[in-house]
């Protein structure tokens, strides 16, 4: 059994194993969780109740999640003097599937963001954000139900690689000089510099994940969203590598948009997926004007960041938008919002983001009925207009529930 430096190991349950490229899920899987800072405490308490109730609803006493608390953020700092103890990343890596609430970004102390650090240390290269509408949620558009997309955002490179040089520093000056002298390109001397690396490896693995997801889940299209008309060797290359990968690895099951019209008269054969691409600026129009034509989106890091929040806002769901960060072997499911510290410990915050991240987690381990039970409970509760303060203030005739009461209503409605 795995051992830890500062925390005791889990008291019960079996680890999820990864054998020959496949997960083996025991009846009592150990799943590490990070409660999260600020409102994370209220949210986690409510979410865990919902998860346990859904598992019980579907499986009775046959199956059960054995939750294993691991620490990050303020709680870890108060207990161990560290924001992200090595035990935590070790546990997530070892047990393969974990879930977390929001974490405070420490100011100073050399950590840019705990979330970014977790993604980098565990090489969680795919940020997955499903965006769909729940009937009754207040939305700024006329037909929010037409948008139902899953965004696969590359998580490790692009301008997020953290290769930046501040204006006026000797590094920035040296770089500007080198680019001028050696490469013949002029940069204004008073510029800050950021580097945007996009690799074949990074591009192909995110497009591969998106295509595999589309095929496994019966989705019809994967659209690569890029700005390759301007940034030819980064975003343009992302697009080229995506098409190349589709041809190399998915020749039997994936066709291009050209193929669709020239060989299949525009009618997609069963079991096949179309790969295509759109320029990022046009994509922001498309998701507003023709949302039902989009399905799975594969993007470099920055485009995906912008697009996932824009899409989530369109369905009114920024406060209930779920997310996951995934590698080939590890899945870390997480709230997409922050710690909302002004509402901490008041039992008022909307726990929907972590609850729906849990749905993604149960789908990921193949417990799809559990995810369905939660979705049903949530849909009915929102349709009954029983909601937390954030939705309450935008809905007419709604009943305002506390975080804990909202969880209770979801459980009642399963
Ligand atoms: P935030 O998301 O915490 O809150 C902004 C506002 O959004 C809140 O004041 C609240 O009005 C609303 N809100 C957020 N989540 C909500 C929910 N579940 N229900 C209802 N309303 C909700 O963003 P912030 O204030 O910029 O960040 C606070 C802290 O969280 C910072 O330390 C930041 O670094 C961190 N953060 C963490 C994550 C993460 O862990 N994934 C993400 C973003 C920010």
């Amino acid at each position: 059994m795995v051992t830890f430096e500062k925390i005791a190991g889990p008291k019960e349950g079996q680890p999820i194993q990864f054998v020959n490229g496949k997960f083996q899920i025991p009846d009592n899987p150990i799943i590490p969780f990070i409660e999260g800072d600020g409102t994370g405490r209220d949210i986690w308490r409510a979410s865990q109740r919902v998860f346990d109730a859904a598992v019980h609803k579907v499986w009775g006493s046959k199956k059960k999640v054995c939750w294993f608390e691991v620490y990050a953020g303020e709680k870890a700092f108060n207990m161990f003097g560290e924001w992200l103890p090595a035990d935590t990343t070790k546990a997530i890596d070892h047990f393969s599937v974990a879930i977390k609430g929001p974490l405070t970004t420490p100011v100073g102390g050399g950590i840019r963001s705990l979330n970014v650090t977790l993604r980098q240390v565990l090489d969680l290269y795919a940020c997955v954000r499903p965006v769909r509408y729940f009937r009754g949620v207040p939305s700024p558009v006329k037909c929010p139900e037409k948008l139902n997309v899953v965004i696969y955002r590359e998580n490790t490179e692009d301008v997020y690689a953290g290769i930046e040089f501040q204006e006026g520093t000797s590094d920035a000056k040296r770089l500007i000089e080198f680019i001028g002298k050696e490469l013949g390109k002029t940069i204004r001397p008073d510029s800050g510099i950021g580097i945007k690396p996009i690799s074949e490896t990074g591009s192909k693995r995110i497009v591969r994940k998106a295509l595999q997801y589309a095929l496994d889940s019966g989705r019809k299209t994967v659209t690569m969203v890029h700005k390759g008309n301007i940034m030819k060797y980064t975003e343009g290359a992302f697009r080229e590598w995506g098409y190349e990968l589709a041809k190399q690895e998915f020749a039997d099951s994936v066709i291009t948009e050209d193929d669709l019209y020239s060989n299949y008269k525009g009618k997609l054969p069963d079991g096949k997926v179309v790969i295509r691409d759109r320029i990022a600026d046009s994509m922001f129009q498309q998701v507003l004007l023709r949302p039902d034509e989009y399905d799975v989106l594969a993007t470099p890091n920055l485009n995906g960041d912008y697009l996932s929040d824009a899409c989530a806002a369109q369905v009114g769901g920024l406060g209930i938008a779920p997310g996951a960060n995934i590698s080939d072997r590890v899945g870390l499911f997480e709230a997409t919002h922050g710690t909302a510290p002004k509402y901490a410990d008041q039992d008022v915050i909307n726990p929907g983001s972590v609850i729906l991240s849990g749905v993604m987690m149960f789908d990921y381990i193949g417990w799809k009925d559990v995810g369905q039970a939660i979705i049903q409970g949530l849909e009915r509760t929102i349709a009954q207009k029983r909601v937390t303060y954030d939705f309450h203030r935008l809905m007419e005739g709604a009943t305002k529930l506390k975080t804990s009461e909202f969880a209770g209503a979801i459980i009642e409605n399963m």
Side-chain angles (χ1 to χ4, degrees):
M1 193 52 161
V2 62
T3 55
F4 299 97
E5 233 176 87
K6 295 181 178 160
I7 56 174
K11 291 191 191 67
E12 50 173 358
Q14 300 292 319
I16 290 171
Q17 309 265 3
F18 192 71
V19 183
N20 298 330
K22 283 217 159 88
F23 285 122
Q24 289 179 350
I25 313 292
D27 286 348
N28 52 352
I30 296 164
I31 299 190
F33 72 93
I34 297 168
E35 178 185 75
D37 295 325
T39 49
R41 293 180 282 276
D42 282 339
I43 291 175
W44 178 255
R45 204 174 303 119
S47 305
Q48 192 181 342
R49 267 175 65 211
V50 169
F51 299 153
D52 288 340
V55 173
H56 190 262
K57 176 101 196 160
V58 172
W59 296 108
S61 52
K62 195 168 170 290
K63 296 192 186 191
K64 171 183 151 186
V65 172
C66 296
W67 301 107
F68 171 38
E69 181 162 16
V70 296
Y71 302 90
E74 285 162 5
K75 197 167 181 181
F77 192 76
N78 292 338
M79 289 172 75
F80 310 111
E82 284 178 88
W83 289 94
L84 185 59
D87 281 348
T88 299
T89 42
K90 184 176 179 182
I92 297 170
D93 191 41
H94 180 78
F95 293 110
S96 301
V97 174
I99 185 163
K100 66 175 273 291
L103 293 172
T104 305
T105 300
V107 180
I111 295 187
R112 255 195 329 153
S113 145
L114 294 172
N115 298 308
V116 173
T117 307
L118 275 166
R119 288 171 204 165
Q120 281 171 351
V121 171
L122 296 164
D123 194 27
L124 305 173
Y125 65 85
C127 175
V128 186
R129 300 261 308 255
V131 183
R132 54 156 290 192
Y133 182 64
F134 286 92
R135 193 163 56 87
V137 171
S139 148
V141 302
K142 279 193 194 147
C143 302
E145 68 286 353
K146 286 190 176 173
L147 186 71
N148 182 349
V149 294
V150 181
I151 300 170
Y152 275 73
R153 163 188 167 199
E154 202 289 325
N155 229 352
T156 62
E157 45 187 37
D158 199 345
V159 284
Y160 286 70
I163 311 172
E164 286 199 299
F165 303 96
Q166 192 179 358
E167 181 272 325
T169 58
S170 72
D171 283 350
K173 283 186 191 150
R174 277 164 59 207
L175 199 53
I176 291 169
E177 211 175 281
F178 173 81
I179 290 171
K181 273 200 192 135
E182 305 288 328
L183 306 176
K185 305 271 186 190
T186 309
I187 297 175
R188 261 189 216 120
D190 60 345
S191 299
I193 307 276
I195 306 270
K196 178 184 175 79
I198 289 200
S199 68
E200 180 175 353
T201 307
S203 303
K204 283 190 170 171
R205 66 181 182 174
I206 191 72
V207 175
R208 180 185 296 115
K209 263 254 183 296
L211 285 171
Q212 197 56 57
Y213 168 78
L215 286 164
D216 293 345
S217 60
R219 297 263 180 170
K220 302 290 177 224
T221 61
V222 171
T223 308
M224 296 181 284
V225 183
H226 61 90
K227 193 73 189 157
N229 53 335
I230 305 296
M231 293 173 269
K232 296 189 194 314
Y233 306 126
T234 50
E235 305 227 347
F238 174 87
R239 167 186 180 274
E240 293 309 316
W241 287 319
Y243 281 124
E244 194 176 285
L245 171 103
K247 216 183 210 172
Q248 285 167 340
E249 297 185 16
F250 295 90
D252 294 342
S253 46
V254 175
I255 60 173
T256 63
E257 213 167 22
D258 283 349
D259 285 340
L260 179 66
Y261 291 100
S262 51
N263 299 332
Y264 298 97
K265 297 188 178 134
K267 198 173 169 332
L268 184 67
D270 278 351
K272 290 207 194 285
V273 164
V274 174
I275 186 165
R276 58 189 185 173
D277 71 280
R278 298 287 182 269
I279 304 277
D281 41 338
S282 134
M283 194 63 209
F284 278 86
Q285 291 190 34
Q286 294 281 304
V287 289
L288 277 168
L289 302 175
R290 308 162 81 104
D292 43 359
E293 291 180 17
Y294 293 89
D295 208 343
V296 178
L297 309 176
T299 77
N301 208 336
L302 182 62
N303 297 341
D305 194 5
Y306 294 155
L307 198 56
S308 40
D309 269 24
C311 289
Q314 193 170 321
V315 296
L318 211 46
I320 57 163
N325 292 293
I326 290 176
S327 72
D328 292 329
R329 213 184 51 70
V330 174
L332 176 60
F333 297 80
E334 68 168 4
T336 53
H337 56 73
T339 58
K342 70 177 174 189
Y343 297 110
D345 302 315
Q346 295 174 30
D347 197 22
V348 295
I349 199 84
N350 188 342
S353 180
V354 170
I355 290 175
L356 288 171
S357 302
V359 170
M360 291 176 76
M361 182 185 79
F362 286 119
D363 283 355
Y364 185 76
I365 65 170
W367 292 14
K368 291 190 189 296
D369 290 350
V370 175
Q372 267 316 309
I374 298 171
I375 292 276
Q376 189 187 63
L378 184 73
E379 274 176 343
R380 286 185 182 163
T381 305
I382 293 173
Q384 292 161 353
K385 299 191 171 187
R386 298 159 76 198
V387 290
T388 46
Y389 82 92
D390 49 320
F391 285 178
H392 177 262
R393 63 186 171 192
L394 300 170
M395 287 163 81
E396 262 179 46
T399 309
K400 182 157 79 175
L401 301 187
K402 289 179 170 297
T403 312
S404 51
E405 293 169 338
F406 186 63
I410 295 173
I411 293 168
E412 248 172 58
N413 276 320
M414 274 176 198

